[in-house]
Amino acid sequence: MRASFDINSSTGIYRVSLGEGLVQEVTASDAHRIFIVDRHLLPQVAFVSDPIIAVDASEANKSLERIAPIIEALKHHGATRETEIVAVGGGIIQDIATFVASIYMRGLRWHYCPTTLLGMVDSCIGGKSSINVGALKNLVGNFHPPASILIDLAFVHSLSPEQQTSGLMESVKICYARGAEAFADYLALRPTAPLQTDTAFAIIEQSLTTKKWFIEVDEFDQAERLLLNFGHTFGHAVESATHFAIPHGIAVGVGILMAYKYAEVASLLSPAGEERARRLVDHVQALLQPLRHTLAPLIRIDAEVLLKHFESDKKHSQSHYRVIVPVEDGELQRLSVPRSAIIQALICNAFALGAGIAVRGGI
Ligand SMILES: NC(=O)c1ccc[n+]([C@@H]2O[C@H](COP(=O)([O-])OP(=O)(O)OC[C@H]3O[C@@H](n4cnc5c(N)ncnc54)[C@H](O)[C@@H]3O)[C@@H](O)[C@H]2O)c1
């Protein structure tokens, strides 16, 4: 099982390779390399003889405050402008490596081996970094695409079903955002955790080739790519209000259900759109069903508290909230809605109803 394709970006073309045993291949060149590795995965890179900077994959570590020690460690290991960084880990290591590689001596080449399904199906392409500042999640960041991406399927198998489901949520989001055909192709793969290797391969390939369209037509998040924030505006509120007890991808799944409920309470869907969006809701609920214990804290959170977290999302303007919801025939649209009491009541309603169908099922 092996696939590869190229991504066109403003800084050049980079290759995405998908298969088995790829992490070993990254050490084949004679470049001066320094690895940045999720500490938890050190045994899986035991063959590496280059210097390794081990980092715990915590939100606290992908913060502006913790970037300086990593830069000092690069210097300590003799990094020059010719040094290539190899990042091995999930979205947290990716965010750290993208940011550090973009600013160390004004920019180093870097390679990325994503190890979570979320990283493999979504975040590994697109070149974005998002760094926390204190308690403010993903407040700063930039674009610095890697020189290559090596997706080694061996990493899928050490992920828990919950971690795999987290990745599937981003995959659903991408495929639904692209349109009815991409979503039907995705569902035909029968995605569910735990994943067999061939299903994981097919889902990763389908998600990335679908996301490729978004990032090539709109690399810098001005129009089409913004649709990939579907589920995230509500989801970030869920994540931060639960103090990250609900992992990112799972919160995105809940956020998708809340966005659907917003469309419903604001009467934005036609009957045909309702039917199409219901297929999405059914699938997301089926994926969340085994995770009721993880979602339990949601029920205890007041919608007003969620609204406070929702309001701090960087996608809103001073006067308007930005929400991505299914409208009319079920296509996603990015709406700009005034920060009025009526809209706030609709959002709170969507929070409560979305949390209810996430935790208890039903519709
Ligand atoms: N820059 C982007 O484009 C982008 C996009 C989406 C999400 N993100 C960010 O990514 C972060 C979430 O990343 P994530 O969900 O990929 O995971 P993560 O990096 O937060 O890791 C989650 C957990 O999984 C463990 N882990 C990683 N790989 C494993 C493996 N193969 N087997 C067993 N355990 C493994 C880690 O040690 C950690 O405990 C968030 O901070 C989010 O904001 C960034």
Side-chain angles (χ1 to χ4, degrees), residues 38 40-41 57 59 62 90-92 94-95 115-116 118-119 123 128 137-138 155 158-159 163 248:
D38 179 337
H40 182 77
L41 302 173
E59 286 291 332
K62 65 158 227 180
I92 288 188
Q94 179 196 341
D95 276 335
T115 63
T116 58
L118 186 143
S123 66
K128 273 191 207 174
K137 187 170 159 71
N138 291 349
F155 287 108
S158 51
L159 295 167
Q163 287 171 313
H248 178 75

Side-chain angles (χ1 to χ4, degrees), residues 35-46 52-59 61 70 86-94 96-97 112-116 155 158-159 163:
F35 278 67
I36 299 180
V37 178
D38 179 337
R39 191 184 305 282
H40 182 77
L41 302 173
L42 285 175
Q44 279 157 274
V45 292
I52 295 179
I53 301 170
V55 180
D56 288 317
S58 66
E59 286 291 332
N61 275 346
I70 296 171
V86 180
V88 182
I92 288 188
I93 299 300
Q94 179 196 341
I96 294 170
Y112 180 39
C113 304
T115 63
T116 58
F155 287 108
S158 51
L159 295 167
Q163 287 171 313

